[in-house]
Amino acid sequence: MIHRRAINPPTSSTGTQGSTRYILSQQASHRRRRKAIRRQIHNFFESKQEALAALVQLISFLIIGSCGVVLFTKLLFGVNVLSSSMNNGSPRMYHHSMWSMNDDNVHQKFKNNQERIATLFDRLPSSNVYDIPNAMPHIGDKSDEYALLRKQVDPMTLPDIQQPYEFETMVMQHSNSDQVSYDIYDCPDTPTMGYPFEWHIKDIIENWPPDDPNPRPKIFNGLCVFDFEKDHAKAMRYRNAELPFVVVNDPEIKAAANRWNSPNYMERMLGDVKHRTEYSESNHFMYWTSPRGGKKKNRGGKPRGAMKNDKTPIDWKQPTKPMRMPYAEWLEHANVTDLELGPNKPHWYYRLIGCGETGPEGQCDKGSSEYLFDELPFFQPKPSLYIVEPEKQKGIHCRFGMKGVIAENHFDGSRNAIAVLGGERRYILAHPNQCENLAILPKGHPSARHSEVDWSDPDYEKFPKFKEAKGNEVVLQAGDAMYLPTNWFHYIISMSMNFQCNTRSG
């Protein structure tokens, strides 16, 4: 406001009246001026409120519109475009069916796992040749040689691996009230009582003798078969209930199987590195560890230094011979005709080990195969259908079997996720409650955790309870996976030359 200087009023009475009128007029002018200023201030704030309201409405519209786009995308394509993986911080589109339940919990698990990795592990120096899709910064093969291989192969359109067999399932006849029949290809949303359906193992191995790798048209399959994309939420419920099941149509497993079956890919990836190999004079492979105390024996025939709980028989002999050889040499042994095969002829069992977080630079095994964590991203140490507790993962192990190879019945002390990436494998499974019927070798025996019974020729007089043992079977073909809970028994037959990889997570 501009303050004007006042004029001295006249001293006469007439001047006094004029002065009064002048003062009144000045006061009225001041009042009008104050009203005008108040009106301007009111109009200013009223316009700001309208602008603020408009801004809020615009933001709300954008948020609602974005949610609508996400919802439309999820409904139309079945994916959540806002989700992101931990792989180098790059975004990844997760299948809607995979994460529609407990999204907050899933994302929190991913966040916790990222923090765990950042705290415990350093980023490995990576190759400048090529960025491997889905690679993790702290594990995997960072060499230029492997990066060049993937750079050349990844852009190719490789043919899909074909599955040659289709099997019918035996009728689920109710032998007791605890079992309920179901369609393995359309399983209930939650596990039924007595799942998975069981038959007598005696019937299973008589219908299809283990020494014969050639398939039968009908098998005793009781495991649910879940489509990775359509049945993911259902599969998670079975996994959370710690029950076995099969997964088909996982795109990452299919992509790995296509690479591994493309010409010369395995030769280039494995190179001349010598890997663990087991040799057996028959098709049977019984896992074993060296008895405590080494080769020197005491007077009682036991290894010197053996502990009190050592259960090694005096006449025990190691069932297989360990050695190392490059992939090309193993392939020469394995890739033979049926005329050169047979239960009583020599067999070789090949093995790759990827250390992962147990030794990011390959410390867990000589000539370790760290590229397995790049080849098989579905087995990386992060929360997924296959990995329950990433921090408890024990690497990735791959076993390549020649046709006819049998891995004797045994159990593992942690959850198992298994994928077949080439060929076919038959698995005969049994619940942990069948332990007493399976004649498991005790702790302290070199082959502890394994069945003493020869399933190819069971001695029912020596092992009468084996007649009562129950289980089921499943055939995994290239591109298939199986979840096997802790302590479940499995007996494995190679139906053809095959590649199988597995990982354990708590």
Side-chain angles (χ1 to χ4, degrees):
M1 180 184 296
I2 298 176
H3 295 274
R4 295 183 179 180
R5 182 181 177 184
I7 300 176
N8 291 331
T11 57
S12 65
S13 59
T14 304
T16 301
Q17 291 178 356
S19 175
T20 301
R21 287 195 299 271
Y22 172 79
I23 293 173
L24 292 176
S25 66
Q26 287 287 78
Q27 290 177 345
S29 175
H30 290 327
R31 284 195 297 271
R32 288 193 298 271
R33 193 174 294 112
R34 285 196 296 270
K35 285 182 180 181
I37 292 172
R38 285 197 297 268
R39 190 180 304 110
Q40 291 175 359
I41 294 173
H42 174 75
N43 292 340
F44 173 80
F45 282 106
E46 188 176 52
S47 63
K48 290 295 182 181
Q49 289 175 352
E50 291 177 354
L52 182 61
L55 180 62
V56 171
Q57 290 177 352
L58 177 61
I59 294 173
S60 301
F61 175 78
L62 291 174
I63 292 174
I64 294 172
S66 300
C67 293
V69 170
V70 172
L71 180 59
F72 175 76
T73 305
K74 294 176 76 173
L75 290 175
L76 185 61
F77 301 107
V79 296
N80 185 354
V81 297
L82 295 181
S83 300
S84 61
S85 74
M86 59 180 294
N87 299 323
N88 298 327
S90 60
R92 177 179 176 184
M93 300 174 73
Y94 290 115
H95 294 278
H96 167 63
S97 58
M98 180 176 179
W99 305 114
S100 59
M101 300 180 63
N102 302 320
D103 276 342
D104 293 340
N105 187 40
V106 169
H107 294 311
Q108 185 61 45
K109 286 183 178 180
F110 268 93
K111 182 180 178 181
N112 293 343
N113 196 54
Q114 285 179 300
E115 292 174 352
R116 175 186 69 84
I117 291 172
T119 302
L120 298 177
F121 301 97
D122 295 326
R123 177 185 290 269
L124 296 176
S126 59
S127 170
N128 294 322
V129 173
Y130 177 65
D131 291 330
I132 309 295
N134 298 315
M136 300 186 80
H138 69 301
I139 56 174
D141 190 334
K142 309 302 181 183
S143 69
D144 289 344
E145 292 80 6
Y146 177 67
L148 180 60
L149 172 63
R150 290 295 298 271
K151 181 180 181 180
Q152 294 172 349
V153 174
D154 285 353
M156 297 181 181
T157 302
L158 301 175
D160 288 336
I161 189 70
Q162 300 300 311
Q163 297 187 345
Y165 303 117
E166 292 184 5
F167 298 92
E168 292 185 44
T169 300
M170 293 289 187
V171 177
M172 296 181 181
Q173 296 178 340
H174 301 285
S175 58
N176 61 65
S177 59
D178 292 335
Q179 297 195 102
V180 177
S181 60
Y182 48 88
D183 181 354
I184 63 170
Y185 297 104
D186 187 20
C187 283
D189 288 340
T190 56
T192 60
M193 182 181 297
Y195 174 87
F197 202 92
E198 298 174 322
W199 295 265
H200 282 101
I201 291 178
K202 182 175 182 292
D203 295 334
I204 295 175
I205 59 179
E206 287 179 355
N207 175 67
W208 187 359
D211 278 339
D212 183 0
N214 298 307
R216 301 296 189 268
K218 298 183 72 172
I219 62 175
F220 294 86
N221 188 0
L223 265 59
C224 289
V225 179
F226 295 128
D227 184 280
F228 180 82
E229 307 215 8
K230 298 177 182 177
D231 303 319
H232 205 292
K234 189 188 298 186
M236 287 292 288
R237 285 191 283 272
Y238 280 68
R239 193 206 73 177
N240 293 339
E242 292 297 344
L243 293 168
F245 54 86
V246 172
V247 179
V248 298
N249 296 327
D250 184 328
E252 289 187 335
I253 296 179
K254 281 188 170 183
N258 291 343
R259 282 196 302 272
W260 284 28
N261 288 274
S262 63
N264 300 319
Y265 185 82
M266 298 299 280
E267 288 85 347
R268 293 183 61 188
M269 183 170 70
L270 275 66
D272 296 327
V273 178
K274 294 182 178 181
H275 293 285
R276 295 190 189 194
T277 310
E278 295 173 68
Y279 167 80
S280 174
E281 294 180 354
S282 71
N283 63 331
H284 287 255
F285 286 78
M286 173 77 81
Y287 175 83
W288 59 278
T289 57
S290 298
R292 295 184 179 89
K295 296 181 180 180
K296 295 182 179 180
K297 306 291 180 68
N298 59 25
R299 292 182 181 179
K302 295 280 188 178
R304 290 181 183 177
M307 299 180 67
K308 292 182 179 179
N309 66 344
D310 185 78
K311 301 293 194 306
T312 305
I314 295 176
D315 59 349
W316 179 84
K317 295 181 181 179
Q318 64 184 49
T320 60
K321 180 181 178 181
M323 58 184 67
R324 285 182 177 269
M325 64 177 62
Y327 173 74
E329 184 179 345
W330 173 82
L331 188 62
E332 187 176 348
H333 290 301
N335 195 17
V336 294
T337 65
D338 288 355
L339 295 176
E340 300 173 79
L341 294 171
N344 298 315
K345 292 186 178 181
H347 287 72
W348 287 261
Y349 207 14
Y350 204 59
R351 184 177 181 184
L352 307 180
I353 300 175
C355 305
E357 293 182 352
T358 64
E361 297 183 13
Q363 299 95 319
C364 74
D365 187 53
K366 182 180 179 181
S368 69
S369 306
E370 298 311 303
Y371 45 76
L372 293 176
F373 287 90
D374 303 302
E375 289 290 317
L376 316 177
F378 45 90
F379 281 168
Q380 290 174 345
K382 57 189 177 185
S384 71
L385 176 62
Y386 310 110
I387 306 297
V388 183
E389 296 180 90
E391 68 278 7
K392 295 183 180 180
Q393 188 186 39
K394 299 179 180 179
I396 297 176
H397 297 252
C398 297
R399 291 170 175 83
F400 299 176
M402 58 187 295
K403 185 175 181 178
V405 161
I406 290 176
E408 302 289 1
N409 180 55
H410 65 283
F411 71 89
D412 295 315
S414 55
R415 303 179 184 94
N416 230 331
I418 302 162
V420 171
L421 302 163
E424 302 81 35
R425 285 196 175 205
R426 175 191 178 199
Y427 299 79
I428 302 177
L429 310 175
H431 192 282
N433 62 18
Q434 297 299 305
C435 185
E436 291 186 4
N437 297 327
L438 299 176
I440 302 303
L441 292 166
K443 183 179 180 180
H445 190 284
S447 296
R449 301 184 294 112
H450 289 67
S451 175
E452 190 176 358
V453 181
D454 179 359
W455 288 30
S456 295
D457 186 21
D459 186 341
Y460 292 113
E461 291 186 4
K462 184 178 180 181
F463 306 105
K465 287 188 175 181
F466 189 65
K467 287 184 179 180
E468 305 303 320
K470 292 184 177 181
N472 46 60
E473 65 183 329
V474 63
V475 171
L476 296 187
Q477 304 183 69
D480 293 342
M482 177 171 64
Y483 177 76
L484 197 64
T486 305
N487 295 335
W488 274 72
F489 294 98
H490 43 294
Y491 180 91
I492 312 168
I493 304 111
S494 290
M495 297 170 57
S496 62
M497 192 181 77
N498 62 84
F499 310 136
Q500 176 219 271
C501 296
N502 74 289
T503 189
R504 298 192 232 162
S505 61

